[in-house]
Amino acid sequence: MMATPETYGHSSWLQATARQRIAGLLDPDSFTEFLRPSERIQSPHLHLFDLPAAFDDGVVIGRGNLDGAPVLLAAQEGQFMGGTFGEVSGAKIVGLLRAARDHPELPRTVLLLLDSGGVRLQEANAGELAVAEIMRAVVEARVAGVAVIALVGGRAGAFGGAGLTAATCSRIIVSEQGRIGVSGPEVIETNKGVEEFDSKDKALVWSVTGGKNRRLIGGADAFAADTMEGFRAAAKAILGHAPGFDLRSMRAEQDRLSKREILFAGCDDAASMWKILGIDDPHDISAMDTDLFVTLANAIEGASHDAR
Amino acid sequence: MTLDEVLNSLFPSGHAVSVGNEGIITGSARRPGGEPVSVIGVANGVALGTAGVLPLAEQVLQVIAAGGDTPILVLVDTQGQLMTRRDEMRGLNEYLAHLAKCLLLASQQGHRTIGLEYGKAAAGAFLATALATDTLIGLPGATPTVMDLPSVSRVTKLPVEQLEELSKTTPVFAPGLEHMVQMGAFAAVWDPAQPLDAQLEATLATGPSGDVRDETGERRKGRPMAASVARRVIADALVQSGGRATA
């Protein structure tokens, strides 16, 4: 049965379902779901492939409070079809972002709990378009003054369209287990060979796509412990401090990404990037606990910025 | 059509558009009335990586910084994102999203952005270029591919022949321009037998209309639920927040 709130706060974000994450992240009993499963808004396509549908199509959306502040929220269920963007699951997120964009009376913060391998293969065309619509809606919401915050720490990580969506947001919170990328290691290995990317080499995969690398090079803005309380604390700290979206922020991002390209031009692995960032022994990184790592990352030049 | 044919038909009196190393298209041209058009893109079907994104985004930012309402034309023939460990390590997701964001910022600042797919387009590079424009146009022979059928076959365990049969009744998963038109991704397909400059002028003459791709997909019977689900979410959000359902 349910753990007490105290022990619940220490339970793993990685292992939790979308609904458990919402319960662990938001203030107790503050969540109201939109398009509840009882309305049976499900994929009209999966049956073509003899696959079972889900009454929420793997995305839970709604509103609630975080430390008393009202937020809109969407959470992908990584355990249903890998958290993928399908026609319906994608449209739920699109609708949520458009609601925030168009209605100032709704909460001015949207939390996206990403846990997704990207576009749903069985609905590839609809899923790809949903991601395009989500990215556009994120930008339009940001222009309207809404902070859109990505939280990445689920088993499926944030790859493909989810990786691009994360990088479109105002802020990205990641845990050590939260992997972010475009092509997953298996996809690169299948297409380009094991010499390019050995997907079985877990240490290599982690160093390339894992949350610590993303935080160190400025690809994520906050690092959370893999617990409900870890993500809650990180999200609370960001509320009200998300950067806006305008020519200045995009110019700053262009400069930031150009510098990164030059800085790491000679690097063939993550450890050599970390050395350039001034980390004497890159092998310490994987063993470092959350507090030490957060302190280290916060001190690295360029890791914290508003260029997003 | 080849890129040269496309450019010559778009700008019969000449242009200053060039294709650099790695297939990156940058430059500008003039419309029949003399107004400038900024032109970027990816040519030769090359894959788009971190290095390719930067000059494209740079040009978009310069157009925005210059002010005015110069339209931006994005020519697209790319097999997808570059699949290398090095690009992933350096955060390719941020680079691709950055290019999309720059194009979306241009739209916000009053620049029409027109995508023109004349070759391939796939996956993350599709999202960063063609699908980040206000209006996406296809040319016959374009081959948008989110997922190729052999890959779909591997994952779904259904034979390719069965998938091909299935794709006749639903455009939702199979590659192809016709399917993506039905989904609402493409606003129109231009006629290559007619001059492209006139077709570009006609497209620029229509005002920007916001993101209507899901509604277009609903009308063309490609996406039966996307638009209605998004509308229901907005209505439900307002009701559950004590607002009006009719907004």
Side-chain angles (χ1 to χ4, degrees):
Chain A
M1 286 307 291
M2 291 289 287
T4 65
E6 264 166 22
T7 55
Y8 198 67
H10 297 294
S11 61
S12 167
W13 182 274
L14 180 76
Q15 315 239 356
T17 65
R19 288 173 192 280
Q20 287 168 337
R21 287 179 193 144
I22 293 170
L25 182 68
L26 298 181
D27 300 345
D29 302 318
S30 72
F31 183 63
T32 304
E33 186 169 353
F34 307 153
L35 298 197
R36 279 185 290 271
S38 56
E39 299 191 41
R40 303 199 171 191
I41 313 283
Q42 61 194 52
S43 167
H45 308 297
L46 287 176
H47 73 93
L48 299 172
F49 303 91
D50 287 328
L51 289 166
F55 292 152
D56 57 15
D57 202 34
V59 168
V60 183
I61 53 169
R63 65 171 291 159
N65 294 328
L66 176 63
D67 200 30
V71 295
L72 295 170
L73 171 153
Q76 292 177 314
E77 178 50 74
Q79 294 175 41
F80 177 72
M81 302 293 301
T84 46
F85 297 88
E87 177 169 350
V88 170
S89 59
K92 288 173 79 171
I93 302 174
V94 171
L96 188 78
L97 290 161
R98 288 180 182 168
R101 176 194 68 187
D102 295 341
H103 298 281
E105 68 271 32
L106 293 176
R108 302 286 82 196
T109 302
V110 179
L111 306 178
L112 298 182
L113 283 57
L114 301 174
D115 188 0
S116 173
V119 167
R120 186 179 296 169
L121 230 61
Q122 292 84 353
E123 306 178 26
N125 295 340
E128 178 94 348
L129 267 177
V131 174
E133 287 160 351
I134 287 168
M135 289 170 68
R136 192 172 194 106
V138 167
V139 162
E140 290 171 352
R142 290 183 62 188
V143 168
V146 176
V148 187
I149 300 168
L151 295 81
V152 184
R155 276 188 192 284
F159 283 93
L164 267 71
T165 296
T168 308
C169 292
S170 325
R171 288 282 187 226
I172 303 169
I173 302 171
V174 73
S175 66
E176 179 163 11
Q177 293 83 352
R179 297 164 302 130
I180 303 176
V182 189
S183 308
E186 295 83 3
V187 175
I188 295 180
E189 186 186 304
T190 303
N191 282 280
K192 303 291 166 181
V194 68
E195 312 76 36
E196 181 59 41
F197 207 152
D198 182 354
S199 69
K200 305 250 173 358
D201 184 341
K202 291 303 166 202
L204 174 71
V205 168
W206 173 84
S207 71
V208 169
T209 67
K212 281 184 173 169
N213 182 45
R214 293 301 177 224
R215 176 68 193 113
L216 289 173
I217 66 171
D221 309 293
F223 186 81
D226 173 40
T227 60
M228 303 299 176
E229 192 45 46
F231 274 91
R232 185 174 153 87
K236 266 161 60 173
I238 279 176
L239 283 184
H241 303 287
F245 180 85
D246 53 22
L247 179 57
R248 217 180 49 174
S249 60
M250 283 304 98
R251 168 50 64 190
E253 182 163 76
Q254 176 79 10
D255 294 346
R256 176 172 77 81
L257 297 178
S258 301
K259 273 187 199 143
R260 188 192 290 174
E261 185 75 9
I262 295 163
L263 189 61
F264 300 138
C267 297
D268 216 26
D269 56 24
S272 54
M273 295 200 300
W274 303 343
K275 259 213 143 75
I276 288 173
L277 294 174
I279 296 162
D280 293 335
D281 190 352
H283 302 288
D284 286 350
I285 295 292
S286 64
M288 201 172 279
D289 73 27
T290 303
D291 289 346
L292 267 177
F293 179 77
V294 166
T295 307
L296 172 92
N298 288 349
I300 285 178
E301 195 191 334
S304 303
H305 55 80
D306 282 342
R308 207 176 275 300
Chain B
M1 290 176 91
T2 66
L3 179 63
D4 279 342
E5 288 166 350
V6 169
L7 285 169
N8 290 335
S9 184
L10 277 169
F11 311 112
S13 52
H15 60 77
V17 178
S18 59
V19 183
N21 297 340
E22 311 299 328
I24 296 304
I25 303 171
T26 54
S28 64
R30 293 204 174 268
R31 294 164 61 183
E35 312 93 323
V37 188
S38 181
V39 183
I40 63 166
V42 187
N44 307 329
V46 301
L48 187 58
T50 59
V53 159
L54 293 171
L56 300 178
E58 177 64 39
Q59 185 173 321
V60 175
L61 290 173
Q62 285 179 11
V63 170
I64 301 169
D69 60 357
T70 303
I72 300 171
L73 182 64
V74 185
L75 302 172
V76 180
D77 176 16
T78 169
Q79 59 176 277
Q81 71 268 12
L82 192 58
M83 291 190 191
T84 74
R85 196 185 64 237
R86 283 166 54 98
D87 281 61
E88 286 294 339
M89 184 174 90
R90 285 176 294 196
L92 180 59
N93 69 308
E94 287 186 275
Y95 287 78
L96 293 175
H98 174 66
L99 178 54
K101 283 189 285 186
C102 288
L103 285 167
L104 293 166
L105 176 65
S107 302
Q108 290 290 324
Q109 306 265 328
H111 301 273
R112 285 297 301 283
T113 58
I114 311 281
L116 180 58
E117 186 186 338
Y118 67 97
K120 299 174 187 155
F126 196 12
L127 288 168
T129 57
L131 290 176
T133 59
D134 298 330
T135 308
L136 177 56
I137 305 293
L139 277 169
T143 54
T145 311
V146 178
M147 206 58 73
D148 58 281
L149 276 195
S151 299
V152 180
S153 168
R154 262 200 308 279
V155 171
T156 60
K157 314 264 192 291
L158 297 176
V160 170
E161 301 74 43
Q162 192 180 335
L163 290 172
E164 277 169 357
E165 199 55 37
L166 199 53
S167 72
K168 288 176 188 160
T169 50
T170 172
V172 77
F173 68 89
L177 180 59
E178 199 184 322
H179 290 143
M180 286 306 256
V181 167
Q182 239 186 307
M183 305 302 295
F186 290 81
V189 177
W190 282 352
D191 179 357
Q194 302 297 321
L196 297 186
D197 56 347
Q199 296 180 80
L200 175 62
E201 286 305 306
T203 302
L204 287 172
T206 61
S209 47
D211 196 346
V212 295
R213 290 174 289 191
D214 52 353
E215 282 166 21
T216 307
E218 181 180 48
R219 215 171 46 245
R220 293 175 181 166
K221 304 195 188 312
R223 282 190 287 168
M225 290 183 70
S228 64
V229 167
R231 284 193 297 264
R232 284 183 65 170
V233 170
I234 297 170
D236 208 13
L238 293 172
V239 169
Q240 304 284 355
S241 304
R244 292 164 301 126
T246 50

